[in-house]
């Protein structure tokens, strides 16, 4: 089998939907190459964290495709272990970004599993719909299983839909597959249960190598050639970060003029790095003064002169 650092010969950075004509089951396959490498090129992660974050990125793409919304889906692991935070965002513009924070003083073994990295903690799935007042959030407690198992619990809890998830990642690629049983009429439920059992068992034979190195067409044929599996739409995915100098300036303005000026006096400049893309933004004294000049003369006038 090919090494995963050789370029793949199928369409990567995409999500492929599929269905079964002979069963009420839907599926998704995802493969990320450049999209994932944008994350690994921006920050050097220990191998085990990289693998977990890659799996999470593939998972976020799979999950986002199950909810048709305008907005964003965020997968977040918070823990008391060596990894404090892992976060992946997938938007309805089909962009992804991700980062992890960990205790860099600790040695992390290359084959550490998610449970070794995290200990106690939670996996949160947040869905923010544009214009909605409240985001939706589902939370699963970390229980020693990998991300795929936690997501299966999430679907069982939130949608009562049997779902199976397979994930794989290394430093170059992140891939995954999801199968979900669709709600069906009662009189067919026994047949559907049997189909679910048969098709999910076929899917379970998928290997990590196959997820990382084989395109959707070949893989689905290999797994389901005895079933009537049909490819549906493909979505292209890419890395993007929406941070900007303007947004950072906005955050600095929230400090208030006095505190922001005190900070820039003390440190010569304010340096802010975006967690997601590791872009660094610098603001010197003149820049900070400009932020508050832009904030509007009346605001400054009100707070500084009238009181
Ligand atoms: Zn950024």
């Amino acid at each position: 089998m090919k090494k995963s650092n050789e370029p793949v010969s199928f369409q990567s950075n995409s999500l492929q939907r599929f269905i079964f004509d002979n069963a009420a089951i839907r599926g998704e396959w995802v493969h990320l190459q450049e999209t994932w490498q944008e994350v690994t090129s921006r920050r050097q992660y220990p191998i085990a964290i990289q693998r977990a974050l890659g799996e999470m990125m593939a998972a976020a793409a799979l999950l986002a495709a199950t909810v048709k919304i305008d907005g964003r889906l965020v997968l977040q692991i918070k823990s008391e272990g060596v990894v404090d935070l892992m976060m992946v965002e997938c938007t309805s513009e089909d962009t992804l970004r991700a980062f992890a924070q960990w205790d860099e003083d600790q040695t992390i073994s290359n084959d550490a599993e998610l449970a070794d990295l995290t200990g106690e903690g939670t996996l949160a799935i947040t869905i923010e719909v544009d214009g909605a007042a409240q985001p939706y959030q589902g939370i699963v407690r970390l229980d020693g299983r990998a991300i795929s198992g936690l997501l299966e619990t999430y679907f069982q809890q939130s949608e009562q839909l049997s779902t199976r998830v397979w994930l794989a990642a290394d430093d170059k690629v992140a891939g995954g597959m999801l199968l979900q049983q669709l709600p069906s009429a009662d009189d067919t439920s026994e047949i559907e249960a049997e189909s679910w059992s048969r098709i999910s068992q076929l899917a379970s034979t998928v290997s990590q190598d196959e997820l990382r190195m084989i395109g959707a067409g070949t893989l689905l044929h290999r797994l389901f050639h005895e079933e009537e599996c049909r490819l549906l739409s493909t979505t292209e995915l890419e890395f993007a970060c929406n941070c900007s100098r303007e947004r950072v300036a906005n955050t600095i303005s929230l400090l208030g003029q006095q505190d922001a000026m005190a900070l820039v006096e003390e440190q010569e400049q304010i340096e802010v790095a975006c967690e997601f893309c590791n872009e660094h933004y610098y603001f010197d004294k003149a820049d900070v003064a400009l932020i508050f000049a832009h904030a509007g003369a009346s605001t400054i006038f009100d707070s500084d002169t009238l009181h």
Side-chain angles (χ1 to χ4, degrees), residues 82 86 93 97 115 215 233 262 295:
V82 57
M86 288 200 284
E93 276 82 53
R97 54 181 189 162
S233 61

Side-chain angles (χ1 to χ4, degrees), residues 97 241 243 274 276-277 279:
R97 54 181 189 162
C241 191
C243 69
C274 172
F276 280 105
C277 69
E279 177 79 39

